[in-house]
Amino acid sequence: MSADADTDRGVEALERELVLLRSRVRRLERDLASLRPLVRTARDLTPWDFTPYQLEPGGDWVAVDRQQIEELLAALAGVDHWAPWRTPIEPRPQP
């Protein structure tokens, strides 16, 4: 075998790998794009535990389980590289 034949085979193998990698990147980009609305919505949530303040929020609030919201934020941190620990979970009520 000649060095040219080995080089040609190596180039062909790299070209096949490049095609596969481009296909994988396209698929991953589609998956990422499908997650963006979820990430944006979850990031904008404003969970607030009103119990310690002995307040009753208005009808536009819903109750969520503390453990479930923590799991949601942890899952979100796994798919989006933001800093959930900098997001306030219990903002104080405004006068």
Side-chain angles (χ1 to χ4, degrees):
M1 293 239 172
S2 71
D4 288 339
D6 286 341
T7 300
D8 289 345
R9 276 198 302 276
V11 168
E12 289 171 4
L14 289 173
E15 287 173 342
R16 284 191 302 273
E17 186 175 356
L18 179 60
V19 168
L20 291 173
L21 289 172
R22 284 181 175 165
S23 173
R24 184 175 183 196
V25 166
R26 279 192 302 272
R27 187 179 69 251
L28 290 171
E29 286 175 342
R30 281 193 309 270
D31 290 348
L32 179 62
S34 71
L35 288 172
R36 282 192 177 116
L38 169 65
V39 169
R40 188 172 33 256
T41 301
R43 187 185 293 167
D44 292 341
L45 289 175
T46 53
W48 174 55
D49 184 1
F50 59 88
T51 306
Y53 312 109
Q54 299 175 350
L55 298 172
E56 294 294 327
D60 58 340
W61 284 81
V62 296
V64 295
D65 181 75
R66 182 183 311 276
Q67 181 66 33
Q68 289 178 338
I69 196 71
E70 288 174 1
E71 290 171 3
L72 171 66
L73 291 174
L76 181 61
V79 297
D80 185 40
H81 302 290
W82 66 301
W85 52 89
R86 291 189 206 142
T87 301
I89 293 180
E90 291 187 33
R92 302 296 185 245
Q94 301 298 316

